[in-house]
Structures are given as structure tokens and as C-alpha cells.
Amino acid sequence: MSTTTLFAGGVAAGLLAGTASCAAAQGGLLMGLVDRHHGRDPAMVGWFLAGRLASYTAVGALLGLLGSAVSLPPQARAVLLVAAGVTVIVFAVRLMRRGHCAATPETEPPSKYKAPLLGAATILVPCGVTLGVEMIAVSSGSPVTGAAAMAGFVVGSAPAFALLGYVLRRVSRTRLARFAGVVAIGAGLWTIGAGVSLGGWSPAAAPPVSGPGAQTVTVWATRDGYRPAMVTARAGVPVEVVFKLMDRGCTGTVAIGGRDVALPATVRLPPQRPGSLRYVCGMGMYTGFINFS
């Protein structure tokens, strides 16, 4: 696949799919930046986006060159999601405490490195569509095409971040600040929940089990989750889980057995003890279970 095609595909992914998920997961970093530097908001947002473009392009090149060896495992991404959620909540609380009062001007000029560094740090806070673009960069086998795919994704999602920065500048100076803070806290809690789910740290109860076991089971990945959400298989024998992809989205990457799998794919599991095996989408939003009996 040509570099131009991958770049265009990345732009389309950023515009159509990456806008909402990435703005929610990574917007906390931008919120903290805009909230502190009112006088230079446009410049700060521009440098933030420049840092984001640089880091994504560099990581895309690394993925294309080295493949999956440089990708983060699900547990590491889960920690980053929780950290991102906490960051969003901290900045939201600051925004609510200020309320509609005018901001106090900063006595010291902002560091010229802070905005691009925060933008570059967004690569460590994964959003659902980012994982799919990273998989494309890995499969490209070329640092140039991998960088093009990731750079295109940043370009496509840039308008959403620019609009977010503009809205934050206006809202933070009005009586809507408290409402915006509540919404941001909700987004932060959602991000933390996704990280907890991806890391497997929540005591999620398995749904009721019915139907006979099988050595081959089929799961459909849809935009709204995995269907069926619970499948059964026989314990003590190898099992093949056939993941079929119906819609593109977060469920297009599944974390199972401590590794990421890009769908469609067939996952071969060794003999399992009686019990439930939990798997989750790459963003920790949707969960499924395989019950061994």
C-alpha cells in the first residue's frame, strides 16, 4: 500500500472515527494547558498539536521499522488510561473551583517546551482508533509508510483538538465553567473505568451460561460490543476462538491472554481449567467471556 494511500486513510480515520474518542481520552492534557495560559491560548494549542504530530509520526516510523516489538501491552495501556482519567479529573476540579471568576494572570511566562511536550505525551494515552492505526503502521513494514499513517491520523483529528481548545478558552471564563467541569469529570471517570476494565482489575461477574461446549467458538466484533458476549467451550482441550469483524471500531482489537490481536483473527488457546476467561477490546470499553466447563 502506497504512502499517499496510508496518509489519506489516516486522515479519514482521524476525521471520522478518532475525533470523539481521542478528544475524550487525551483532552485532559489540553484542558490543563489552556486553563493556565489564557493570554497565549491559540499559540499554546498550536504548539500542543505540533508536539502531537511529531510524536505520532516518530512512533509510526518506529512501528513500521520494528513492528509489534515496540507496542505497549494491554496492562501498560490500562495504567496509562487510568492516569489519563485522573489527569482529566484534576484539571476539571481546578476549572470548577475557578467558576465564573476571572483568571489570575500568570506572573511568569509559560515554558516554551510545555505545550509541545504535553502534545507529544498524548501518544502515551491511547484511544480506540489509535490502536487500529498503529496496527496498520506495524503491518506496513516501512518506517515511511508507518509514519505517514500516524501523521495522517493526527492531521485528521487536529480540527477537533483546535475546536476543543477554543471552547475551553470561552467556557473557562463564563458561568458554564462548572458545567464543563462536571462533564470533564464524567469523561475522566469513564476513562478510568475503561483502564480498569482493560487491566482486568474489576470483579466483573460473568453472565449466565447456557448451551453445549465446543472446541471451536465464533465471536462477532460489532461497533457496540462482542456477540455473543458469552460463549462456552470444553475445559481440558485446545480451543479455537474465531473472531470475525462486523464493524470497524474499538472492538477491532481484542486483548486476550495478555496480548493484543487485530481482528479478524483466530486465537488458539491451550487446554483451560473450568472457569471463565475474560477478553476486552483495545480500549477497555467492551468485554466478553469464554466459559470453560
Side-chain angles (χ1 to χ4, degrees):
M1 192 176 297
S2 69
T3 301
T4 304
T5 301
L6 281 180
F7 179 81
V11 172
L15 282 171
L16 300 177
T19 296
S21 62
C22 287
Q26 301 171 354
L29 296 174
L30 180 60
M31 182 185 294
L33 180 68
V34 172
D35 191 41
R36 286 185 60 83
H37 307 304
H38 300 282
R40 298 182 57 188
D41 286 344
M44 290 293 103
V45 173
W47 281 112
F48 177 90
L49 293 175
R52 188 167 182 262
L53 176 62
S55 66
Y56 271 66
T57 303
V59 169
L62 283 174
L63 289 172
L65 180 65
L66 303 176
S68 59
V70 297
S71 61
L72 290 174
Q75 291 284 340
R77 294 203 315 275
V79 172
L80 292 174
L81 279 172
V82 172
V86 172
T87 301
V88 171
I89 292 174
V90 169
F91 288 137
V93 170
R94 289 180 51 197
L95 187 66
M96 293 175 66
R97 289 181 61 185
R98 283 181 26 193
H100 63 274
C101 299
T104 303
E106 295 209 344
T107 57
E108 297 180 2
S111 170
K112 60 181 179 181
Y113 301 110
K114 182 175 182 179
L117 286 177
L118 281 176
T122 57
I123 192 64
L124 301 176
V125 184
C127 61
V129 187
T130 304
L131 301 176
V133 181
E134 288 176 352
M135 291 293 182
I136 294 174
V138 169
S139 62
S140 70
S142 165
V144 175
T145 52
M150 295 290 279
F153 177 73
V154 173
V155 171
S157 57
F161 280 88
L163 178 61
L164 177 62
Y166 175 82
V167 171
L168 286 174
R169 295 201 310 272
R170 296 297 180 265
V171 171
S172 63
R173 297 171 184 172
T174 70
R175 294 182 179 180
L176 294 177
R178 294 186 183 278
F179 173 76
V182 171
V183 173
I185 288 176
L189 291 174
W190 177 85
T191 303
I192 292 174
V196 170
S197 177
L198 180 60
W201 303 318
S202 59
V209 181
S210 60
Q215 288 183 269
T216 300
V217 296
T218 301
V219 177
W220 289 89
T222 72
R223 190 176 300 276
D224 299 319
Y226 297 101
R227 302 290 184 271
M230 163 64 75
V231 295
T232 63
R234 291 196 301 271
V237 295
V239 175
E240 288 188 350
V241 185
V242 181
F243 286 99
K244 295 186 177 181
L245 186 62
M246 181 177 293
D247 301 310
R248 293 286 176 182
C250 168
T251 55
T253 302
V254 64
I256 181 170
R259 62 191 179 97
D260 289 321
V261 179
L263 305 187
T266 298
V267 178
R268 294 172 176 84
L269 300 174
Q272 302 287 314
R273 296 180 178 180
S276 294
L277 175 67
R278 178 179 177 275
Y279 59 88
V280 63
C281 76
M283 270 291 287
M285 294 172 57
Y286 301 107
T287 302
F289 295 89
I290 305 172
N291 186 76
F292 295 95
S293 58

